[in-house]
Amino acid sequence: MKLNQIFGEKQYEEVYKFAVENGYTIKEMSNVSPRRFQIIEAPLPTEQEIKANHIQELKQKLLNTDYQAIKFAEGIISEEEYITMKAQRQEWRDEINVLELEQGVQDGKAN
């Protein structure tokens, strides 16, 4: 198997494994019988997709550290114990806000 190779439905499963293992993707050439497919290079993510993924990563970090904010709010940990995490969480929120604002401007939205 190789890049740009064209194949039929019967080979799909085998070629799919090859494509995934080598960072390629599969494009359907024809959806009428007989269906034909081609191994192609996976497209690079757009700047918008990269930003959207980064926003999701930052939001996940906030979710993963919510328990520390709750512990602080409930008085289980002191301000001294929480202050570093509090600053980090604010940095993540600030970065999310900037990225979302940039996305809104690029999408033509007013946030």
Side-chain angles (χ1 to χ4, degrees), residues 22-46:
N22 291 282
Y24 299 137
T25 192
I26 296 172
K27 175 176 105 175
E28 187 166 10
M29 305 292 291
S30 170
N31 62 358
V32 294
S33 189
R35 292 176 71 189
R36 307 298 288 165
F37 303 90
Q38 183 177 23
I39 301 170
I40 61 170
E41 289 192 38
L44 295 174
T46 65

PDB file of all heavy atoms in Angstrom, residues 22-46:
ATOM      1  N   ASN A  22      -0.159   5.367   9.380  1.00  0.00           N
ATOM      2  CA  ASN A  22       0.817   6.200   8.670  1.00  0.00           C
ATOM      3  C   ASN A  22       0.418   7.672   8.562  1.00  0.00           C
ATOM      4  O   ASN A  22       1.069   8.437   7.842  1.00  0.00           O
ATOM      5  CB  ASN A  22       1.063   5.611   7.281  1.00  0.00           C
ATOM      6  CG  ASN A  22       1.791   4.291   7.374  1.00  0.00           C
ATOM      7  OD1 ASN A  22       2.996   4.261   7.583  1.00  0.00           O
ATOM      8  ND2 ASN A  22       1.056   3.184   7.284  1.00  0.00           N
ATOM      9  N   GLY A  23      -0.620   8.064   9.273  1.00  0.00           N
ATOM     10  CA  GLY A  23      -1.023   9.469   9.282  1.00  0.00           C
ATOM     11  C   GLY A  23      -1.720   9.923   8.012  1.00  0.00           C
ATOM     12  O   GLY A  23      -1.720  11.110   7.693  1.00  0.00           O
ATOM     13  N   TYR A  24      -2.302   8.979   7.276  1.00  0.00           N
ATOM     14  CA  TYR A  24      -3.053   9.310   6.063  1.00  0.00           C
ATOM     15  C   TYR A  24      -4.548   9.242   6.355  1.00  0.00           C
ATOM     16  O   TYR A  24      -4.966   8.866   7.442  1.00  0.00           O
ATOM     17  CB  TYR A  24      -2.722   8.329   4.935  1.00  0.00           C
ATOM     18  CG  TYR A  24      -1.271   8.308   4.520  1.00  0.00           C
ATOM     19  CD1 TYR A  24      -0.631   7.096   4.270  1.00  0.00           C
ATOM     20  CD2 TYR A  24      -0.533   9.476   4.360  1.00  0.00           C
ATOM     21  CE1 TYR A  24       0.703   7.051   3.877  1.00  0.00           C
ATOM     22  CE2 TYR A  24       0.794   9.438   3.976  1.00  0.00           C
ATOM     23  CZ  TYR A  24       1.407   8.227   3.735  1.00  0.00           C
ATOM     24  OH  TYR A  24       2.719   8.189   3.353  1.00  0.00           O
ATOM     25  N   THR A  25      -5.329   9.579   5.363  1.00  0.00           N
ATOM     26  CA  THR A  25      -6.772   9.431   5.442  1.00  0.00           C
ATOM     27  C   THR A  25      -7.261   8.826   4.132  1.00  0.00           C
ATOM     28  O   THR A  25      -6.476   8.625   3.214  1.00  0.00           O
ATOM     29  CB  THR A  25      -7.458  10.779   5.762  1.00  0.00           C
ATOM     30  OG1 THR A  25      -8.822  10.550   6.101  1.00  0.00           O
ATOM     31  CG2 THR A  25      -7.365  11.759   4.618  1.00  0.00           C
ATOM     32  N   ILE A  26      -8.553   8.567   4.069  1.00  0.00           N
ATOM     33  CA  ILE A  26      -9.120   7.932   2.878  1.00  0.00           C
ATOM     34  C   ILE A  26     -10.202   8.835   2.303  1.00  0.00           C
ATOM     35  O   ILE A  26     -11.048   9.345   3.029  1.00  0.00           O
ATOM     36  CB  ILE A  26      -9.714   6.553   3.230  1.00  0.00           C
ATOM     37  CG1 ILE A  26      -8.582   5.628   3.715  1.00  0.00           C
ATOM     38  CG2 ILE A  26     -10.431   5.942   2.038  1.00  0.00           C
ATOM     39  CD1 ILE A  26      -9.063   4.314   4.272  1.00  0.00           C
ATOM     40  N   LYS A  27     -10.167   9.017   0.993  1.00  0.00           N
ATOM     41  CA  LYS A  27     -11.155   9.835   0.291  1.00  0.00           C
ATOM     42  C   LYS A  27     -11.955   8.930  -0.626  1.00  0.00           C
ATOM     43  O   LYS A  27     -11.389   8.082  -1.333  1.00  0.00           O
ATOM     44  CB  LYS A  27     -10.425  10.906  -0.526  1.00  0.00           C
ATOM     45  CG  LYS A  27     -11.330  11.756  -1.394  1.00  0.00           C
ATOM     46  CD  LYS A  27     -10.534  12.848  -2.077  1.00  0.00           C
ATOM     47  CE  LYS A  27     -10.333  12.495  -3.531  1.00  0.00           C
ATOM     48  NZ  LYS A  27      -9.672  13.547  -4.300  1.00  0.00           N
ATOM     49  N   GLU A  28     -13.266   9.106  -0.612  1.00  0.00           N
ATOM     50  CA  GLU A  28     -14.114   8.320  -1.513  1.00  0.00           C
ATOM     51  C   GLU A  28     -14.075   8.954  -2.900  1.00  0.00           C
ATOM     52  O   GLU A  28     -14.328  10.138  -3.059  1.00  0.00           O
ATOM     53  CB  GLU A  28     -15.549   8.254  -0.988  1.00  0.00           C
ATOM     54  CG  GLU A  28     -16.409   7.316  -1.787  1.00  0.00           C
ATOM     55  CD  GLU A  28     -17.722   6.976  -1.101  1.00  0.00           C
ATOM     56  OE1 GLU A  28     -18.059   7.606  -0.088  1.00  0.00           O
ATOM     57  OE2 GLU A  28     -18.399   6.067  -1.599  1.00  0.00           O
ATOM     58  N   MET A  29     -13.722   8.148  -3.888  1.00  0.00           N
ATOM     59  CA  MET A  29     -13.614   8.625  -5.269  1.00  0.00           C
ATOM     60  C   MET A  29     -14.960   8.557  -5.972  1.00  0.00           C
ATOM     61  O   MET A  29     -15.280   9.389  -6.808  1.00  0.00           O
ATOM     62  CB  MET A  29     -12.604   7.771  -6.052  1.00  0.00           C
ATOM     63  CG  MET A  29     -11.230   7.684  -5.410  1.00  0.00           C
ATOM     64  SD  MET A  29     -10.375   9.250  -5.437  1.00  0.00           S
ATOM     65  CE  MET A  29     -10.053   9.408  -7.166  1.00  0.00           C
ATOM     66  N   SER A  30     -15.736   7.528  -5.647  1.00  0.00           N
ATOM     67  CA  SER A  30     -17.020   7.318  -6.301  1.00  0.00           C
ATOM     68  C   SER A  30     -17.926   6.574  -5.340  1.00  0.00           C
ATOM     69  O   SER A  30     -17.533   5.582  -4.748  1.00  0.00           O
ATOM     70  CB  SER A  30     -16.830   6.495  -7.573  1.00  0.00           C
ATOM     71  OG  SER A  30     -18.079   6.098  -8.086  1.00  0.00           O
ATOM     72  N   ASN A  31     -19.154   7.068  -5.187  1.00  0.00           N
ATOM     73  CA  ASN A  31     -20.075   6.384  -4.285  1.00  0.00           C
ATOM     74  C   ASN A  31     -21.083   5.527  -5.054  1.00  0.00           C
ATOM     75  O   ASN A  31     -22.048   5.055  -4.494  1.00  0.00           O
ATOM     76  CB  ASN A  31     -20.786   7.374  -3.360  1.00  0.00           C
ATOM     77  CG  ASN A  31     -21.633   8.366  -4.120  1.00  0.00           C
ATOM     78  OD1 ASN A  31     -21.669   8.363  -5.337  1.00  0.00           O
ATOM     79  ND2 ASN A  31     -22.304   9.232  -3.381  1.00  0.00           N
ATOM     80  N   VAL A  32     -20.842   5.366  -6.342  1.00  0.00           N
ATOM     81  CA  VAL A  32     -21.677   4.461  -7.135  1.00  0.00           C
ATOM     82  C   VAL A  32     -20.904   3.160  -7.327  1.00  0.00           C
ATOM     83  O   VAL A  32     -19.686   3.126  -7.248  1.00  0.00           O
ATOM     84  CB  VAL A  32     -22.067   5.077  -8.508  1.00  0.00           C
ATOM     85  CG1 VAL A  32     -22.969   6.271  -8.315  1.00  0.00           C
ATOM     86  CG2 VAL A  32     -20.864   5.448  -9.321  1.00  0.00           C
ATOM     87  N   SER A  33     -21.606   2.114  -7.583  1.00  0.00           N
ATOM     88  CA  SER A  33     -20.980   0.807  -7.694  1.00  0.00           C
ATOM     89  C   SER A  33     -20.111   0.725  -8.944  1.00  0.00           C
ATOM     90  O   SER A  33     -20.534   1.153 -10.014  1.00  0.00           O
ATOM     91  CB  SER A  33     -22.062  -0.265  -7.741  1.00  0.00           C
ATOM     92  OG  SER A  33     -21.491  -1.530  -7.633  1.00  0.00           O
ATOM     93  N   PRO A  34     -18.911   0.250  -8.906  1.00  0.00           N
ATOM     94  CA  PRO A  34     -18.195  -0.153  -7.702  1.00  0.00           C
ATOM     95  C   PRO A  34     -17.593   1.065  -7.006  1.00  0.00           C
ATOM     96  O   PRO A  34     -17.025   1.949  -7.660  1.00  0.00           O
ATOM     97  CB  PRO A  34     -17.104  -1.085  -8.222  1.00  0.00           C
ATOM     98  CG  PRO A  34     -16.787  -0.556  -9.578  1.00  0.00           C
ATOM     99  CD  PRO A  34     -18.111  -0.010 -10.097  1.00  0.00           C
ATOM    100  N   ARG A  35     -17.731   1.119  -5.686  1.00  0.00           N
ATOM    101  CA  ARG A  35     -17.180   2.233  -4.912  1.00  0.00           C
ATOM    102  C   ARG A  35     -15.659   2.156  -4.943  1.00  0.00           C
ATOM    103  O   ARG A  35     -15.074   1.094  -4.823  1.00  0.00           O
ATOM    104  CB  ARG A  35     -17.698   2.189  -3.484  1.00  0.00           C
ATOM    105  CG  ARG A  35     -19.197   2.486  -3.434  1.00  0.00           C
ATOM    106  CD  ARG A  35     -19.742   2.364  -2.048  1.00  0.00           C
ATOM    107  NE  ARG A  35     -19.269   3.454  -1.211  1.00  0.00           N
ATOM    108  CZ  ARG A  35     -19.462   3.507   0.109  1.00  0.00           C
ATOM    109  NH1 ARG A  35     -20.102   2.543   0.722  1.00  0.00           N
ATOM    110  NH2 ARG A  35     -19.008   4.517   0.814  1.00  0.00           N
ATOM    111  N   ARG A  36     -15.036   3.312  -5.108  1.00  0.00           N
ATOM    112  CA  ARG A  36     -13.574   3.399  -5.169  1.00  0.00           C
ATOM    113  C   ARG A  36     -13.109   4.428  -4.132  1.00  0.00           C
ATOM    114  O   ARG A  36     -13.767   5.438  -3.904  1.00  0.00           O
ATOM    115  CB  ARG A  36     -13.105   3.823  -6.565  1.00  0.00           C
ATOM    116  CG  ARG A  36     -13.657   2.977  -7.718  1.00  0.00           C
ATOM    117  CD  ARG A  36     -13.264   1.539  -7.674  1.00  0.00           C
ATOM    118  NE  ARG A  36     -11.861   1.412  -8.019  1.00  0.00           N
ATOM    119  CZ  ARG A  36     -11.136   0.322  -7.801  1.00  0.00           C
ATOM    120  NH1 ARG A  36     -11.703  -0.737  -7.265  1.00  0.00           N
ATOM    121  NH2 ARG A  36      -9.878   0.266  -8.116  1.00  0.00           N
ATOM    122  N   PHE A  37     -11.963   4.163  -3.549  1.00  0.00           N
ATOM    123  CA  PHE A  37     -11.392   5.032  -2.527  1.00  0.00           C
ATOM    124  C   PHE A  37      -9.917   5.276  -2.841  1.00  0.00           C
ATOM    125  O   PHE A  37      -9.318   4.528  -3.603  1.00  0.00           O
ATOM    126  CB  PHE A  37     -11.503   4.367  -1.147  1.00  0.00           C
ATOM    127  CG  PHE A  37     -12.905   3.999  -0.775  1.00  0.00           C
ATOM    128  CD1 PHE A  37     -13.418   2.760  -1.113  1.00  0.00           C
ATOM    129  CD2 PHE A  37     -13.711   4.888  -0.088  1.00  0.00           C
ATOM    130  CE1 PHE A  37     -14.715   2.401  -0.761  1.00  0.00           C
ATOM    131  CE2 PHE A  37     -15.008   4.539   0.270  1.00  0.00           C
ATOM    132  CZ  PHE A  37     -15.510   3.301  -0.073  1.00  0.00           C
ATOM    133  N   GLN A  38      -9.362   6.333  -2.230  1.00  0.00           N
ATOM    134  CA  GLN A  38      -7.954   6.655  -2.447  1.00  0.00           C
ATOM    135  C   GLN A  38      -7.311   7.032  -1.122  1.00  0.00           C
ATOM    136  O   GLN A  38      -7.911   7.743  -0.306  1.00  0.00           O
ATOM    137  CB  GLN A  38      -7.824   7.816  -3.431  1.00  0.00           C
ATOM    138  CG  GLN A  38      -6.394   8.167  -3.764  1.00  0.00           C
ATOM    139  CD  GLN A  38      -6.288   9.264  -4.802  1.00  0.00           C
ATOM    140  OE1 GLN A  38      -7.214  10.045  -4.986  1.00  0.00           O
ATOM    141  NE2 GLN A  38      -5.161   9.323  -5.479  1.00  0.00           N
ATOM    142  N   ILE A  39      -6.076   6.583  -0.919  1.00  0.00           N
ATOM    143  CA  ILE A  39      -5.291   6.964   0.256  1.00  0.00           C
ATOM    144  C   ILE A  39      -4.706   8.348  -0.028  1.00  0.00           C
ATOM    145  O   ILE A  39      -4.041   8.543  -1.046  1.00  0.00           O
ATOM    146  CB  ILE A  39      -4.142   5.966   0.506  1.00  0.00           C
ATOM    147  CG1 ILE A  39      -4.690   4.554   0.707  1.00  0.00           C
ATOM    148  CG2 ILE A  39      -3.298   6.415   1.698  1.00  0.00           C
ATOM    149  CD1 ILE A  39      -3.617   3.477   0.710  1.00  0.00           C
ATOM    150  N   ILE A  40      -4.979   9.299   0.856  1.00  0.00           N
ATOM    151  CA  ILE A  40      -4.455  10.658   0.674  1.00  0.00           C
ATOM    152  C   ILE A  40      -3.818  11.151   1.971  1.00  0.00           C
ATOM    153  O   ILE A  40      -4.033  10.579   3.039  1.00  0.00           O
ATOM    154  CB  ILE A  40      -5.566  11.646   0.228  1.00  0.00           C
ATOM    155  CG1 ILE A  40      -6.666  11.741   1.286  1.00  0.00           C
ATOM    156  CG2 ILE A  40      -6.134  11.241  -1.123  1.00  0.00           C
ATOM    157  CD1 ILE A  40      -7.669  12.857   1.029  1.00  0.00           C
ATOM    158  N   GLU A  41      -3.043  12.210   1.866  1.00  0.00           N
ATOM    159  CA  GLU A  41      -2.453  12.810   3.061  1.00  0.00           C
ATOM    160  C   GLU A  41      -3.561  13.466   3.861  1.00  0.00           C
ATOM    161  O   GLU A  41      -4.456  14.099   3.301  1.00  0.00           O
ATOM    162  CB  GLU A  41      -1.397  13.847   2.681  1.00  0.00           C
ATOM    163  CG  GLU A  41      -0.146  13.209   2.114  1.00  0.00           C
ATOM    164  CD  GLU A  41       1.004  14.175   2.000  1.00  0.00           C
ATOM    165  OE1 GLU A  41       1.167  15.030   2.889  1.00  0.00           O
ATOM    166  OE2 GLU A  41       1.735  14.064   1.016  1.00  0.00           O
ATOM    167  N   ALA A  42      -3.492  13.300   5.167  1.00  0.00           N
ATOM    168  CA  ALA A  42      -4.476  13.943   6.034  1.00  0.00           C
ATOM    169  C   ALA A  42      -4.230  15.439   6.005  1.00  0.00           C
ATOM    170  O   ALA A  42      -3.086  15.890   6.115  1.00  0.00           O
ATOM    171  CB  ALA A  42      -4.354  13.405   7.454  1.00  0.00           C
ATOM    172  N   PRO A  43      -5.290  16.229   5.835  1.00  0.00           N
ATOM    173  CA  PRO A  43      -5.101  17.682   5.800  1.00  0.00           C
ATOM    174  C   PRO A  43      -4.646  18.200   7.164  1.00  0.00           C
ATOM    175  O   PRO A  43      -5.039  17.669   8.204  1.00  0.00           O
ATOM    176  CB  PRO A  43      -6.486  18.215   5.438  1.00  0.00           C
ATOM    177  CG  PRO A  43      -7.433  17.125   5.789  1.00  0.00           C
ATOM    178  CD  PRO A  43      -6.674  15.842   5.684  1.00  0.00           C
ATOM    179  N   LEU A  44      -3.797  19.201   7.135  1.00  0.00           N
ATOM    180  CA  LEU A  44      -3.359  19.824   8.377  1.00  0.00           C
ATOM    181  C   LEU A  44      -4.526  20.609   8.970  1.00  0.00           C
ATOM    182  O   LEU A  44      -5.355  21.155   8.224  1.00  0.00           O
ATOM    183  CB  LEU A  44      -2.180  20.761   8.110  1.00  0.00           C
ATOM    184  CG  LEU A  44      -0.905  20.097   7.627  1.00  0.00           C
ATOM    185  CD1 LEU A  44       0.136  21.145   7.260  1.00  0.00           C
ATOM    186  CD2 LEU A  44      -0.352  19.149   8.672  1.00  0.00           C
ATOM    187  N   PRO A  45      -4.612  20.686  10.288  1.00  0.00           N
ATOM    188  CA  PRO A  45      -5.701  21.450  10.884  1.00  0.00           C
ATOM    189  C   PRO A  45      -5.547  22.938  10.569  1.00  0.00           C
ATOM    190  O   PRO A  45      -4.426  23.451  10.457  1.00  0.00           O
ATOM    191  CB  PRO A  45      -5.557  21.183  12.381  1.00  0.00           C
ATOM    192  CG  PRO A  45      -4.143  20.741  12.568  1.00  0.00           C
ATOM    193  CD  PRO A  45      -3.726  20.110  11.282  1.00  0.00           C
ATOM    194  N   THR A  46      -6.679  23.609  10.441  1.00  0.00           N
ATOM    195  CA  THR A  46      -6.654  25.051  10.199  1.00  0.00           C
ATOM    196  C   THR A  46      -6.302  25.776  11.492  1.00  0.00           C
ATOM    197  O   THR A  46      -6.357  25.189  12.586  1.00  0.00           O
ATOM    198  CB  THR A  46      -8.027  25.556   9.715  1.00  0.00           C
ATOM    199  OG1 THR A  46      -8.972  25.372  10.793  1.00  0.00           O
ATOM    200  CG2 THR A  46      -8.486  24.828   8.473  1.00  0.00           C
TER     201      THR A  46
END
